[in-house]
Every structure is written in C-alpha cells, then in structure tokens.
Amino acid sequence: MAHVAKAIGAAVAFHRHSHITIRSTRRLYSSCRAIYNPIVQIKEEGQPQTLDYRVFLVDQSGKKVSPWHDIPLHLGNGVFNFVVEIPKDTSAKMEVATDELYTPIKQDTKKGKLRYYPYTINWNYGLFPQTWEDPSFSNPEIEGAYGDNDPVDVVEIGERQRKIGQILKVKPLAALAMIDEGELDWKIVAISLDDPRAPLVNDVDDVEKHFPGTLLAIRDWFRDYKIPDGKPANKFALGNKAANKDYALKVINETNDSWAKLVKRSIPAGDLSLL
C-alpha cells in the first residue's frame, strides 16, 4: 500500500499496567493484514536506573508490541498519539531502543554508563510513533541536513507530569528544527488534549500568548544541554525560531511517509528493528 489507513481510536493516559485501546496499522505496509485492536499495557522489566531496565508495551495476550511501530500516529482531526519517554521534571535520558526487538524504552548509555541530562527537563518528552527521520534524505529547507535516524521528538508543554510509556492524545502547535552535530533532529511542540489550557492554544502564536517564554525556553534548553559535557551548543535552522502549526504538520506527514518506506523496506533499515 502506498499510504497507511488512518486509525481512529481512543488513547488515554495510563499508569503501569493500566489499559489503552488502540488500532495498529503497521503491517498494512508489508502484508495488508487486517487492522487489529490490542489492549495495551505497560510492562516494566528490571529496575529503574539500571542497564537492564526496559519499559515494554504488551497486548492483552501478553505479547509485546512496539511503541514505535504498533501505536498508530494519526487519530484524525489534527490529533496524534504521543508516547512519553522522559517525564517532566526528571533527568534520566530515556529513549526508545530502535535497535532492539519490540523497541522498548530504556535509559541511554555512553561508554557503558547510564546517561542523565545535566539538569531536569521542564516538559514531557517523547516521540511520535510511526515517524522516522531518514538519514539518507538531505533536507533542502534545513541547510541540507540529514535525518538523525530516529522517530520525531515531541515536547509536550502541559502542566502535568506523565509516566514513561504513557500514550497521550496531543495536538501539534509548533516545530523547532534543531541541528545536532550536523543531523536534523526535529522538536515538535505539542499539548495533550486533557490539559486545562489545551483549548486555548492551536498555533505557535497561541503558545506565546498563553505559555509566555516557553518556546524560547525549549529552544535554549536543547541548544545548551550538551555544553556541560564539553560539546558545542546545538544549532537551530528556520531563523532560529519555532515554525507554525502548519509546518509542524508538514514535518509529521513527511516523516510518517519516510517511516512507511522504512517498514516496506524501500529504504535499508540497517540496525533498526522493524518488529
């Protein structure tokens, strides 16, 4: 199939072992199998802040499913699923393990040691499922930068701290084009629909009005977080400013198309897990 069918379902906030009903469309790319409706819950393996710690999603039968590939992106009407990797006000650098079976969430490592940000992150941070920043594509609008080989990052600006593995319904508001050591690393600014201020914000100008200083704070946080480790500051394209909602939607749709090509194996997957 050239394009995945949009899945419309309910994605609700949940804690460990709480349930969420989703529609998964992943295999439509490769086999045109019928859409299935697993009941998904969080399953933790190992202890937090250890090398073995993993956060999996499992269906009702106990089968593991991928937060990257099996959670649908589109919910319709400009609403998308967002998977939390790093809760607000924490510093452990959690991320989907794109090279492991079922792509669980784990704590990143460097030279065998667990990684932490030098300071806590002020927003819920995670990914849009079924997106991929293609490392073989040079984006002419972003200084010719190539994708970073990961799902698209999301910064959720709502007031509540969420949980690792939690799935939220969000609406995109803005996009920041970060360039990290030459690679394009999009940051989509979004808000969960259940946040009290969600009805007030629908585009980048609304964020400035109702969350004053937030877009600048997000940019500066991601620009500077590597400096304490002796690395240079990250850069931002598009005039060093946040692009509007329409641009954010363009990024989401383009990276969803790239993911579709990846899972169809139209593009080499390398070490990435497609299961």
Side-chain angles (χ1 to χ4, degrees):
M1 287 186 177
H3 188 74
V4 67
K6 288 187 178 180
I8 302 176
V12 297
F14 60 101
H15 297 274
R16 182 182 182 185
H17 297 298
S18 59
H19 295 82
I20 178 172
T21 300
I22 66 168
R23 291 181 181 273
S24 177
T25 57
R26 169 177 157 222
R27 289 294 177 257
L28 290 178
Y29 283 101
S30 56
S31 66
C32 293
R33 232 166 52 178
I35 294 173
Y36 63 103
N37 301 309
I39 303 297
V40 175
Q41 58 184 201
I42 294 173
K43 180 182 179 182
E44 298 177 69
E45 295 187 2
Q47 294 300 313
Q49 300 186 56
T50 67
L51 294 173
D52 296 329
Y53 182 61
R54 298 291 185 275
V55 177
F56 287 94
L57 299 183
V58 298
D59 66 17
Q60 200 169 21
S61 70
K63 181 183 180 297
K64 292 174 179 175
V65 296
S66 168
W68 181 19
H69 300 306
D70 289 326
I71 304 302
L73 171 64
H74 295 278
L75 294 172
N77 298 319
V79 178
F80 301 85
N81 273 325
F82 157 60
V83 181
V84 178
E85 294 170 301
I86 305 175
K88 179 179 181 176
D89 298 326
T90 65
S91 63
K93 193 176 186 302
M94 308 298 295
E95 62 181 19
V96 162
T98 57
D99 59 349
E100 295 184 13
L101 190 63
Y102 303 117
T103 65
I105 299 170
K106 69 172 185 177
Q107 189 167 350
D108 191 22
T109 60
K110 183 177 182 180
K111 297 181 179 178
K113 295 183 179 181
L114 297 171
R115 290 187 67 189
Y116 294 86
Y117 289 121
Y119 29 75
T120 59
I121 190 166
N122 303 315
W123 313 275
N124 296 299
Y125 187 57
L127 72 140
F128 275 136
Q130 299 185 344
T131 62
W132 180 57
E133 297 194 49
D134 182 357
S136 70
F137 174 66
S138 172
N139 192 319
E141 297 179 11
I142 315 296
E143 303 177 13
Y146 291 85
D148 70 351
N149 203 31
D150 284 325
V152 169
D153 295 328
V154 181
V155 183
E156 194 277 317
I157 61 174
E159 66 181 23
R160 293 171 53 192
Q161 184 190 61
R162 308 298 182 144
K163 303 292 183 181
I164 298 173
Q166 193 168 356
I167 300 172
L168 305 177
K169 291 188 289 188
V170 302
K171 55 181 177 180
L173 304 169
L176 285 160
M178 190 175 92
I179 300 176
D180 181 354
E181 299 182 11
E183 294 181 335
L184 177 56
D185 187 2
W186 286 107
K187 309 298 179 189
I188 304 298
V189 180
I191 191 166
S192 178
L193 295 190
D194 66 357
D195 188 83
R197 286 187 282 179
L200 302 176
V201 287
N202 293 291
D203 212 327
V204 64
D205 292 337
D206 299 326
V207 180
E208 293 287 6
K209 180 179 180 181
H210 297 285
F211 294 79
T214 294
L215 292 173
L216 183 62
I218 292 171
R219 187 202 66 187
D220 290 354
W221 196 100
F222 283 100
R223 182 192 65 196
D224 297 339
Y225 80 90
K226 291 186 175 181
I227 292 176
D229 292 332
K231 293 186 176 182
N234 290 318
K235 299 179 181 179
F236 286 85
L238 300 177
N240 207 34
K241 296 180 181 179
N244 64 15
K245 176 182 179 176
D246 285 343
Y247 203 102
L249 293 174
K250 174 177 176 285
V251 171
I252 295 167
N253 288 327
E254 287 178 350
T255 54
N256 179 231
D257 288 343
S258 294
W259 172 84
K261 294 174 183 176
L262 176 70
V263 297
K264 283 193 301 183
R265 293 172 170 78
S266 299
I267 298 174
D271 293 332
L272 298 175
S273 172
L274 301 183
L275 295 176

